[in-house]
């Protein structure tokens, strides 16, 4: 197959950042995605309806003229979040709240330290029909970084899913066979997003032959058996797994340094790379469900109606993207060949 037409996809996990950078990130996503779940890990974070609506406005101002792009906003849960914050926020344009364990990733210092203390908030979310999005890694320093996702399932996610059976949970950017199997064993109220980098790469791509800071993201890339399991579940066509790029820009100088930031900026080629993965897996017929249907279905939103076509045509990801402030970003897959292009 040299061409594929699918319903326009959505990105169910994305970092836009704020300010000037929106002029780069919003058009990059709006070029192919109709909606995106916008992560709230700004500094300071997006904590309530008023923060979210102001941020949404700034995003819309950066969208290309005439685009029908729709940002879907997310609240950032902290130890101060109340049930009132949830009731006030919950709506079509703020469908979810995000749980970051404190210290788990970029800009998560404001996050939750005792997850169980949020149970009243989860109760309110469950009643209101607001989704809980979870960065699923334990953060205690003695836990090996490669085991953090598995331990989070055992210690937190399992108990939350059991205690709140009606709460819809998205286990974000899963990286392990353990996570895939847990999601498959859970109820219909449990689903997961998977990034392009976790489908395309494993930890050798981070560490063999030299450290590759532009492949460093959190949760960190795992061994190839985990990568293979993620590839298997998307190729199976299960509706519990859907597209979430986790595209997360960081300036080049903050990644190419002694203590580099976590995050891959994939917005320039994410859909094309997912297409490449499904093609490699001989599962192009499963791409549309993953990219365009299952996320919307899980969120209880209408599927998109517009179509988009990808062609088998090679192109090269730029080495760098210049920003107006003089910085630059090295995009995910920089300098490498992609096999699919949006027509
Ligand atoms: C994300 C970021 O940079 O905001 N980084 C990352 O490595 N994925 C945060 C996140 O989703 O963990
Ligand atoms: Zn993220």
């Amino acid at each position: 197959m040299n061409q594929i037409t699918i319903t326009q996809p959505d990105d169910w996990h994305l970092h836009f950042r704020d300010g000037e950078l929106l002029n780069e990130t919003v058009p990059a996503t709006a070029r192919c995605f109709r909606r995106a779940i916008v992560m709230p890990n700004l500094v300071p974070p997006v904590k309530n309806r008023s923060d979210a609506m102001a941020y949404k406005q700034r995003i819309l101002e950066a969208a290309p003229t005439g685009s029908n792009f729709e940002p879907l906003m997310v609240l950032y849960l902290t130890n101060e979040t109340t049930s009132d914050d949830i009731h006030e926020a919950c709506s079509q344009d703020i469908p979810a709240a995000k749980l970051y364990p404190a210290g788990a990733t970029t800009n998560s210092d404001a996050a939750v330290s005792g997850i169980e203390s949020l149970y009243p908030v989860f109760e309110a979310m469950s009643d209101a029909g607001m989704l809980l999005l979870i960065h699923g890694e334990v953060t205690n320093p003695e836990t090996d970084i490669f085991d953090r996702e598995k331990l989070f399932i055992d210690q937190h996610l399992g108990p939350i899913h059991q205690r709140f059976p009606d709460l819809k949970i998205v286990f974000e950017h899963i990286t392990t066979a353990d996570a895939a199997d847990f999601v498959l064993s859970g109820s219909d109220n449990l689903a997961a997003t998977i990034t392009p980098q976790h489908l395309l790469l494993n930890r050798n791509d981070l560490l063999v032959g030299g450290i590759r800071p532009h492949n460093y993201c959190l949760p960190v890339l795992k061994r190839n058996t985990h990568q293979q399991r993620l590839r298997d579940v998307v190729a199976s066509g299960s509706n519990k797994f859907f597209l979430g790029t986790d595209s997360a820009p960081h300036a080049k100088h903050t990644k190419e340094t002694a203590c580099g930031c976590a995050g891959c900026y994939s917005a320039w080629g994410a859909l094309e790379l997912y297409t490449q993965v499904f093609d490699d897996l001989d599962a192009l017929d499963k791409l549309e469900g993953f990219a365009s249907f299952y996320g919307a279905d899980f969120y209880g939103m209408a599927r998109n109606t517009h179509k988009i076509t990808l062609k088998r045509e090679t192109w090269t990801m730029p080495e760098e993207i210049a920003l107006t402030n003089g910085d630059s970003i090295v995009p995910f897959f920089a300098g490498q060949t992609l096999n699919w292009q949006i027509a």
Side-chain angles (χ1 to χ4, degrees):
M1 208 192 300
N2 289 322
Q3 183 169 311
I4 176 169
T5 297
I6 59 170
T7 301
Q8 190 177 10
D10 304 300
D11 186 348
W12 300 98
H13 183 128
L14 176 68
H15 300 269
F16 271 145
R17 314 302 189 206
D18 207 349
E20 272 290 283
L21 202 47
L22 293 176
N23 295 320
E24 160 55 38
T25 55
V26 179
T29 286
R31 85 193 163 90
C32 63
F33 294 109
R34 160 83 179 97
R35 295 171 288 203
I37 280 283
V38 181
M39 288 296 140
N41 63 331
L42 305 180
V43 186
V46 177
K47 287 196 277 199
N48 51 44
R49 165 161 277 277
S50 107
D51 295 345
M53 288 301 109
Y55 185 31
K56 179 176 181 176
Q57 200 47 44
R58 297 195 292 279
I59 293 167
L60 286 173
E61 279 160 21
T65 17
S67 103
N68 63 352
F69 178 71
E70 186 185 352
L72 301 168
M73 309 311 291
V74 177
L75 289 197
Y76 185 116
L77 296 173
T78 73
N79 286 120
E80 275 76 56
T81 307
T82 62
S83 306
D84 285 347
D85 292 324
I86 300 302
H87 290 127
E88 191 197 30
C90 187
S91 58
Q92 272 288 110
D93 51 6
I94 310 182
K98 176 84 185 269
L99 173 69
Y100 289 101
T105 188
T106 306
N107 302 339
S108 63
D109 296 344
V112 174
S113 43
I115 293 176
E116 285 64 29
S117 67
L118 275 180
Y119 275 19
V121 170
F122 297 162
E123 185 85 60
M125 292 175 67
S126 177
D127 292 345
M130 192 183 222
L131 279 76
L132 175 64
L133 316 183
I134 299 189
H135 182 115
E137 291 191 286
V138 297
T139 55
N140 48 319
E142 56 288 5
T143 303
D144 188 277
I145 191 166
F146 293 102
D147 299 334
R148 290 180 172 201
E149 187 172 270
K150 157 102 180 83
L151 281 182
F152 188 89
I153 298 169
D154 302 342
Q155 293 176 8
H156 302 290
L157 188 51
I160 295 170
H161 184 43
Q162 197 163 30
R163 173 83 170 257
F164 301 99
D166 298 327
L167 177 63
K168 282 192 180 178
I169 299 175
V170 184
F171 193 176
E172 299 289 342
H173 43 48
I174 61 165
T175 62
T176 56
D178 310 279
D181 292 338
F182 177 71
V183 169
L184 284 169
S185 72
S187 78
D188 288 349
N189 286 333
L190 180 66
T193 54
I194 307 186
T195 73
Q197 62 268 27
H198 292 104
L199 291 169
L200 283 160
L201 307 179
N202 60 66
R203 64 197 194 183
N204 280 5
D205 300 294
L206 182 64
L207 297 169
V208 173
I211 293 180
R212 289 162 209 277
H214 301 292
N215 290 343
Y216 175 58
C217 68
L218 288 169
V220 73
L221 294 169
K222 303 298 190 298
R223 60 167 68 238
N224 62 356
T225 46
H226 291 295
Q227 177 197 6
Q228 191 52 53
R229 186 82 185 104
L230 300 182
R231 292 168 70 94
D232 290 346
V233 294
V234 300
S236 79
S238 163
N239 66 356
K240 287 177 143 291
F241 303 92
F242 48 83
L243 188 155
T245 63
D246 197 18
S247 181
H250 290 273
K252 178 180 177 182
H253 68 90
T254 65
K255 287 193 67 79
E256 297 181 8
T257 180
C259 184
C261 292
C264 300
Y265 185 51
S266 61
W268 280 42
L271 181 61
E272 296 85 339
L273 288 169
Y274 281 118
T275 307
Q276 192 156 319
V277 168
F278 280 81
D279 189 15
D280 288 348
L281 294 169
D282 211 6
L284 276 176
D285 60 318
K286 303 293 193 321
L287 176 67
E288 185 176 39
F290 177 81
S292 315
F293 294 162
Y294 305 150
D297 296 350
F298 190 78
Y299 273 76
M301 295 182 183
R303 293 178 178 182
N304 296 325
T305 48
H306 191 79
K307 302 278 178 198
I308 145 168
T309 296
L310 292 118
K311 288 189 165 153
R312 189 190 299 278
E313 229 164 70
T314 58
W315 60 288
T316 306
M317 183 62 68
E319 296 282 358
E320 266 182 51
I321 298 163
L323 300 176
T324 46
N325 67 359
D327 280 343
S328 68
I329 298 173
V330 176
F332 182 62
F333 237 63
Q336 297 185 69
T337 303
L338 292 87
N339 299 337
W340 289 84
Q341 211 172 119
I342 295 172

